[in-house]
Amino acid sequence: MSQPKPVQKRNVIVIGKTGTGKSTVANKIAGYGNFDVFHTSQSGTPKVSHCETTMDDPETNVRYDFKVIDTIGLFDHRLSLYHKIMNKEIMDRIKVYLNDVIPEGITLVMFVFRKGRFTQEEEDTFNYITENFRNDISEISTLVITNCENDDDEGRQDIIEDFTKSQRATANFMKKGIHAVGFPDIQKVKQKLRAAFQEDIEKDTEKLRDLVKKADEMRLGKKLFEPTIWEMASSCIIL
């Protein structure tokens, strides 16, 4: 009788501004093509959600249990008129969700930005996230730049190098590296080009899954977040 495969668990949280391709990235890792498994609630309000999937690695004979958490897009104008109120509401939902549903913690934090100029809004998004999470997440953080389907390997490397030069602090924060991917809507691609694009999509999908597989098993649970003023005050009262 064959021995059962060893199992390694990987929990990845995908974070980014609305419209960056964040949910597409999450769906690719989870193995769902363009099917939007990370849906909104019945009321239409975006929510934090996750998908669990199992993948076998024939090279290492290891079975991986993936848990992919797709977060609400920061600066999502459907939630509020004011960024400050909106982002606090979103971050509170993310904190509650991770503490309640993913108590064992996270193995990889995947930031998603769309190719192009790193806007002030995106910089504000990144700064807001890092202000709420502990600096420890730098060790398990990676940056994925989307919308690179029309760039070859050399072009993608140029995009990464340009980002690294222009956004040095953000690039240095990503201890798990920066990666460029492209996931076009295959139905909108010309018929004669579909096979080539499909091959690239599969390569980029495998690239993302390898990032998750190679993440350390170290997990940041409730230590993932910076304590709020109220939490620090409560802890002082208890002491």
Side-chain angles (χ1 to χ4, degrees), residues 29 48 53 75 79 89 94 110 118 126 146 178 190-191 194 229 231:
I29 296 171
V48 186
T53 188
F75 292 115
L79 293 180
E89 181 181 350
I94 292 173
M110 187 174 285
F118 191 63
F126 177 76
T146 60
I178 302 174
K190 292 181 179 178
Q191 188 70 40
R194 285 186 183 181
I229 294 174
E231 288 169 341

Side-chain angles (χ1 to χ4, degrees), residues 37 52 61 82 88 99 103 105 142 174 181 187 190 196 207 214 221:
V37 67
E52 298 181 39
N61 200 38
Y82 301 100
K88 183 180 185 309
N99 285 334
T142 185
M174 306 296 173
V181 299
Q187 299 304 317
K190 292 181 179 178
K207 179 194 297 184
K214 291 175 182 177

Side-chain angles (χ1 to χ4, degrees), residues 163-175:
F163 184 92
T164 301
K165 290 177 183 176
S166 62
Q167 303 297 328
R168 192 170 300 277
T170 303
N172 289 340
F173 186 88
M174 306 296 173
K175 295 297 192 288

Side-chain angles (χ1 to χ4, degrees), residues 153 183 198-208:
D153 289 344
F183 297 114
Q198 188 61 50
E199 184 177 341
D200 289 342
I201 289 172
E202 291 171 2
K203 284 170 57 178
D204 284 342
T205 298
E206 199 55 39
K207 179 194 297 184
L208 294 179

Side-chain angles (χ1 to χ4, degrees), residues 8-239:
Q8 293 191 19
K9 295 185 177 182
R10 296 289 187 269
N11 296 342
V12 54
I13 179 171
V14 184
I15 300 177
K17 190 173 78 70
T18 300
T20 57
K22 178 175 55 62
S23 290
T24 298
V25 166
N27 283 323
K28 293 299 182 184
I29 296 171
Y32 281 89
N34 288 322
F35 176 69
D36 188 13
V37 67
F38 301 98
H39 52 273
T40 57
S41 64
Q42 290 183 349
S43 65
T45 303
K47 66 177 184 178
V48 186
S49 55
H50 78 274
C51 177
E52 298 181 39
T53 188
T54 299
M55 296 181 186
D56 291 331
D57 189 329
E59 292 185 6
T60 60
N61 200 38
V62 171
R63 173 163 292 176
Y64 289 92
D65 283 348
F66 280 12
K67 193 175 285 185
V68 186
I69 302 97
D70 182 28
T71 59
I72 309 164
L74 289 165
F75 292 115
D76 192 325
H77 294 276
R78 291 172 295 178
L79 293 180
S80 172
L81 295 174
Y82 301 100
H83 285 172
K84 189 173 290 187
I85 297 173
M86 176 197 328
N87 286 329
K88 183 180 185 309
E89 181 181 350
I90 292 171
M91 191 57 68
D92 286 346
R93 287 195 203 179
I94 292 173
K95 289 181 179 182
V96 169
Y97 188 89
L98 291 180
N99 285 334
D100 291 350
V101 181
I102 321 288
E104 67 271 24
I106 300 299
T107 56
L108 185 67
V109 180
M110 187 174 285
F111 292 89
V112 180
F113 292 146
R114 188 179 176 86
K115 182 186 79 171
R117 189 170 62 88
F118 191 63
T119 66
Q120 185 62 50
E121 191 173 61
E122 283 170 323
E123 185 174 351
D124 289 345
T125 300
F126 177 76
N127 290 338
Y128 186 80
I129 292 167
T130 53
E131 284 169 7
N132 278 269
F133 287 78
R134 291 184 184 273
N135 288 335
D136 306 53
I137 70 165
S138 176
E139 299 299 324
I140 59 171
S141 290
T142 185
L143 173 65
V144 174
I145 301 175
T146 60
N147 201 38
C148 300
E149 53 267 21
N150 293 316
D151 299 284
D152 58 16
D153 289 344
E154 185 177 348
R156 292 184 179 195
Q157 190 56 42
D158 288 342
I159 290 169
I160 293 171
E161 289 177 2
D162 288 345
F163 184 92
T164 301
K165 290 177 183 176
S166 62
Q167 303 297 328
R168 192 170 300 277
T170 303
N172 289 340
F173 186 88
M174 306 296 173
K175 295 297 192 288
K176 293 296 182 182
I178 302 174
H179 309 272
V181 299
F183 297 114
D185 183 345
I186 202 68
Q187 299 304 317
K188 295 181 180 179
V189 174
K190 292 181 179 178
Q191 188 70 40
K192 62 181 180 180
L193 299 176
R194 285 186 183 181
F197 272 98
Q198 188 61 50
E199 184 177 341
D200 289 342
I201 289 172
E202 291 171 2
K203 284 170 57 178
D204 284 342
T205 298
E206 199 55 39
K207 179 194 297 184
L208 294 179
R209 290 179 186 163
D210 281 344
L211 279 172
V212 181
K213 288 177 185 177
K214 291 175 182 177
D216 301 328
E217 285 199 283
M218 176 189 76
R219 287 176 173 79
L220 292 175
K222 293 188 177 181
K223 293 181 180 179
L224 194 66
F225 304 103
E226 285 290 355
T228 65
I229 294 174
W230 298 112
E231 288 169 341
M232 288 189 289
S234 298
S235 113
C236 291
I237 291 171
I238 292 173
L239 291 173

